[in-house]
Amino acid sequence: MIRTRFAPSPTGFLHIGGARTALFSWAFARHHGGKFVLRIEDTDVARSTPEAVQAIIDGMNWLGLAHDEGPFYQMQRMDRYKEVLQQMLENGSAYYCYTTPEELEQMREDQRAKGLKPRYDGTWRPEPGKTLPTPPAGVQPVVRFRNLTEGTVAWNDLVKGRIEIANAELDDLVIARADMTPTYNFCVVVDDWDMGITHVIRGDDHVNNTPRQINILKALGADVPLYAHLSMILGDDGQKLSKRHGAVSVMQYDHDGYLPEAVLNYLARLGWSHGDDEVFSMQQFCEWFDLDHITPSAAQFNTEKLNWLNAHYLKQAEDERLARLVQPRLEARGVMVTVEPSLAAIIALYKERVSTLNELADAAEVFYIDLHPAHELVAQHVTAEAKPALADFLAGARTVTWEASAISALIKACIGKHGLKMPKLAMPLRVLLTGQTQTPSVDAVISLFPRDLVLKRLAAGGIE
RNA sequence: GUCCCCAUCGUCUAGAGGCCUAGGACACAACCCUUUCACGGUUGGUACCGGGGUUCGAAUCCCCGUGGGGACGCCA
């Protein structure tokens, strides 16, 4: 049974990189009929918040990435960590270290100055025949893992291929702080072990933790899972995404008018491919997804392509569903949506030409507000030449059958009578009725309005 | 500084020695459609980081450069 996990630390929102990691872990479990576990890594008490936990869950819900087990909270597993810690202390794979943070800081500084890799010097590490220093009074020790000093740790990374690191590169990492709370690398190991995780799919930034985790796993006699390290997602400008640079919550995409299926499809294609396929459902994705076709190199986020995908999914979406998504956006702007004109009907006409829900809201808004077309536009299009034709149109509009084809016939009759070209009448109608010069075909737009509103807006424009 | 990773059009990518005078998608340009603007359709331009090998043959394998990124915490 394949078991994957998504293990965010609740120190902020779920951003696009985390979302992709979650998506791939989820899809991999789905593909193999396995389980997808959600684990909250909240051992950094100072930075973890319940709000962040909720934000992450909200993000995953919006995307529809449902977990099969969890959420498990590491803070609730302290007893288990302490139990394992005790075993390691007893069997000699871990030891107490009395070096203070200040001494460590000094040590690192000296090593850096000499051009060496900063690392713990092993003062308190027990060795056969070695006499350990006397523990200083008043110093609470930390617990360190007694790492291997010779040989290499290697694993066959499912994305990057074989990675091999000399044990000499690894120092004895702290696995429990002075207050005996366990640290990240230790909790992860115990959790992955206890939770039976078979495939660890995570960000590239964890590659360096992997050899340490493998060594601890081995010291524990646990099975080592398979690892797949996903490369990072860069911002639109090629820069690294961070809180202060471009990284935004996936919920921001909701706010900006993107459909979750568009974001999901976009993310799926970022770093993974299936031949020339670009547009596919999550069901299709889960059928196709495997770890074979993941790119090892970093990918730059491209909003243009996301926009294109979103436009595509907008066209596919049901009008009623889109209306339900657009209505609150209009209401948030203080626009009251009424039964007439029908929001779903407006959306049906406009969804072909926009790329976000917010643009759909922009288009729909003019149907509901108290419209005041810009004076320049009115002056430009409602010309002396057009006015007689507009007056005829207004007269005809009182009785014409209220449907696009009849309205179209009326418009044609008006321009025919006055010897005008289509735009000469269509443009002022657009301006007077929507305040815009770019709309779908004018007859279709007019048929969306209740007749009274058209008469009213034309009259307000001085047409009589 | 040390260790690790990465490198095909502007961007996402196909490509696992001959099918590649390098394919698709976004973006871009032109044309068509449309008596508005979009949508849609057609066409087009643009890429294998550099240098050495290996091989009959390399975008694909190896080495060295170069460039980019990551990690070196009692953070996760």
Side-chain angles (χ1 to χ4, degrees):
Chain A
M1 165 75 87
I2 299 279
R3 294 174 61 83
T4 64
R5 43 65 156 198
F6 178 54
S9 60
T11 55
F13 44 66
L14 175 65
H15 57 84
I16 217 72
R20 190 190 56 168
T21 303
L23 171 64
F24 284 13
S25 295
W26 172 83
F28 188 71
R30 285 282 169 283
H31 177 85
H32 291 283
K35 298 287 185 203
F36 175 55
V37 177
L38 177 61
R39 181 168 82 219
I40 305 296
E41 311 218 321
D42 54 357
T43 54
D44 183 353
V45 183
R47 295 196 304 148
S48 298
T49 65
E51 290 74 26
V53 171
Q54 194 53 50
I56 289 164
I57 290 175
D58 287 346
M60 291 182 70
N61 284 344
W62 183 66
L63 291 171
L65 301 179
H67 50 271
D68 302 303
E69 291 178 23
F72 296 112
Y73 293 83
Q74 291 187 323
M75 285 306 285
Q76 293 172 10
R77 288 176 43 78
M78 283 300 145
D79 291 348
R80 172 60 178 155
Y81 302 137
K82 284 179 182 168
E83 177 190 2
V84 177
L85 207 52
Q86 200 50 46
Q87 282 169 19
M88 293 177 75
L89 247 9
E90 280 164 16
N91 71 20
S93 56
Y95 61 91
Y96 288 111
C97 166
Y98 295 83
T99 306
T100 64
E102 294 70 34
E103 289 169 332
L104 240 23
E105 187 52 42
Q106 185 58 244
M107 198 184 292
R108 291 191 187 107
E109 212 169 286
D110 295 347
Q111 287 161 333
R112 276 212 165 86
K114 287 184 207 155
L116 299 171
K117 185 171 187 160
R119 63 210 313 282
Y120 173 61
D121 67 359
T123 301
W124 296 92
R125 177 185 168 107
E127 297 287 3
K130 174 181 172 185
T131 310
L132 261 18
T134 309
V139 174
Q140 283 297 314
V142 298
V143 178
R144 284 184 186 273
F145 173 61
R146 191 172 184 280
N147 216 122
L148 266 38
T149 52
E150 289 176 359
T152 58
V153 212
W155 75 95
N156 186 27
D157 196 279
L158 269 15
V159 172
K160 294 175 185 291
R162 184 180 174 81
I163 299 179
E164 186 172 316
I165 298 188
N167 279 318
E169 287 297 325
L170 277 18
D171 63 357
D172 290 352
L173 70 156
V174 172
I175 58 177
R177 304 178 181 92
D179 63 3
M180 285 301 122
T181 57
T183 62
Y184 166 77
N185 277 112
F186 179 69
C187 296
V188 166
V189 162
V190 176
D191 287 347
D192 286 341
W193 180 27
D194 286 353
M195 297 172 191
I197 301 303
T198 58
H199 296 254
V200 173
I201 301 171
R202 67 201 339 179
D204 206 324
D205 47 337
H206 289 290
V207 167
N208 295 274
N209 290 324
T210 306
R212 300 172 198 282
Q213 293 179 8
I214 289 175
N215 281 348
I216 299 175
L217 246 4
K218 283 181 173 165
L220 254 21
D223 285 339
V224 177
L226 264 20
Y227 294 92
H229 288 98
L230 272 23
S231 56
M232 58 191 304
I233 297 176
L234 272 19
D236 248 326
D237 54 2
Q239 294 300 298
K240 184 191 175 181
L241 243 25
S242 65
K243 317 101 243 158
R244 72 171 284 276
H245 184 90
V248 295
S249 164
V250 294
M251 296 313 286
Q252 183 66 39
Y253 289 91
D254 175 25
H255 182 263
D256 290 347
Y258 293 94
L259 258 15
E261 61 265 41
V263 173
L264 246 9
N265 193 155
Y266 179 73
L267 248 23
R269 277 291 285 109
L270 204 56
W272 174 84
S273 61
H274 184 267
D276 288 340
D277 295 304
E278 295 285 350
V279 181
F280 43 79
S281 67
M282 279 303 101
Q283 189 193 331
Q284 182 62 266
F285 178 56
C286 290
E287 277 173 35
W288 284 336
F289 187 73
D290 220 324
L291 267 9
D292 297 335
H293 294 274
I294 297 179
T295 333
S297 56
Q300 192 170 314
F301 194 88
N302 187 219
T303 305
E304 300 277 11
K305 189 160 180 178
L306 206 213
N307 287 343
W308 170 75
L309 269 170
N310 204 52
H312 169 81
Y313 281 106
L314 244 19
K315 282 179 209 138
Q316 306 287 304
E318 297 281 343
D319 299 334
E320 295 296 339
R321 173 188 171 209
L322 294 179
R324 283 195 298 278
L325 293 170
V326 168
Q327 181 155 348
R329 287 164 204 270
L330 287 170
E331 285 166 355
R333 301 174 183 195
V335 176
M336 266 292 286
V337 176
T338 50
V339 177
E340 280 293 319
S342 152
L343 182 55
I346 294 169
I347 284 168
L349 187 60
Y350 278 82
K351 70 177 182 182
E352 296 285 329
R353 44 200 301 125
V354 298
S355 45
T356 67
L357 290 168
N358 292 354
E359 287 173 22
L360 219 37
D362 292 341
E365 184 177 292
V366 300
F367 287 85
Y368 299 103
I369 58 175
D370 185 16
L371 190 75
H372 298 287
H375 294 306
E376 315 81 71
L377 286 180
V378 173
Q380 188 188 339
H381 294 283
V382 187
T383 56
E385 190 184 16
K387 278 187 174 171
L390 283 163
D392 280 352
F393 178 81
L394 174 58
R398 294 186 217 279
T399 55
V400 70
T401 305
W402 206 248
E403 57 181 41
S405 60
I407 292 168
S408 175
L410 172 61
I411 292 172
K412 285 189 176 131
C414 293
I415 59 176
K417 177 176 168 191
H418 295 275
L420 298 175
K421 297 259 189 190
M422 184 65 162
K424 287 291 182 190
L425 180 54
M427 293 311 280
L429 282 171
R430 286 193 170 95
V431 169
L432 258 17
L433 296 174
T434 70
Q436 298 166 339
T437 53
Q438 297 170 8
T439 75
S441 72
V442 73
D443 49 353
V445 170
I446 292 171
S447 71
L448 247 23
F449 284 94
R451 187 195 305 262
D452 288 352
L453 190 52
V454 168
L455 301 180
K456 185 179 151 208
R457 286 190 177 182
L458 290 179
I463 306 304
E464 50 193 33

